[in-house]
Amino acid sequence: MNPIDFDRAFAKYAHEWVHERMKVEKDLDAIEAEMPDLYREWLKIPADFLSGISPEDYFAAYGSPEALIGLMREYQAAGIPIPDPLMERLDDMGDAAISPLTALAADERADVSLRMTALNLLIELSAREPMPLCLSLVDRRESQDELADVAAELLMSMGEDAVPHMLERLDRASDAALDTYLDLLCNFPGDERIYTVTVERFLRLADRRALYANYLAKLGDERALEALKRVMALSDLSYLDYLEVRNAIEVLGGEAPADDRRFDGDPAYESLKNMN
């Protein structure tokens, strides 16, 4: 049996509702604002396409996370969006769902979007078990890597538990992985290595000045003011670099040096100027 398309069923219900609603309400923005409430109402209504079961209750009959994950795979293979009630049922299973979801997130044969869905569910479950997987995904990340981005979000949700494991990778991480680890670690000041590596990369990597200025602002260590002001004085700053460095100085309690330089010709500057 093909997976049931919940999104299409709701779209049909909403289309009919809007048709009736427009007979008394002509403001389309007001109608659109009612959609979230309409969806929540629809979830509770017994549905013919589900043999009289409401959408929010349909997956209650599935007693194991493995069965639900099998359904997720079927939905993905059919190109049909995974229904919210299916994912909510997995979330309701709590700890029992963690290992099966971790296995799905680790399955390199599975579609990346499906693995990302598994990682997002693990974030909702406040899971710790996937830490080795998340570290591995970040370690192997490419510069643009959505799967590693979600893995990083899961590491962030683990808080201090993940910090020692990220710290021990600072000496051997690739550039892309190091960017990610420092982004996370700057939320947990206290280890000198975080400050040292972040400042060193800020001063050395001219193409990532804005990124690392943002990290230093987040880290909150006033010692970084000297490095920030030194870079602020450079003549080759782009407009975005300038803004981020200036912001970091101010966040750390410093006063940005008076500066009347112009950025004519800088694409970001010209784009902003044209908008104004």
Side-chain angles (χ1 to χ4, degrees), residues 16-27 31:
E16 294 169 356
W17 178 86
V18 169
H19 179 75
E20 292 300 315
R21 190 78 177 88
M22 288 187 68
K23 293 178 181 179
V24 295
E25 173 62 74
K26 303 302 182 184
D27 186 341
I31 291 175

Side-chain angles (χ1 to χ4, degrees), residues 137-153:
L137 290 171
V138 173
D139 285 343
R140 295 180 291 157
R141 77 165 302 152
E142 304 293 338
S143 56
Q144 298 295 324
D145 190 332
E146 292 182 336
L147 188 63
D149 288 342
V150 183
E153 290 179 32

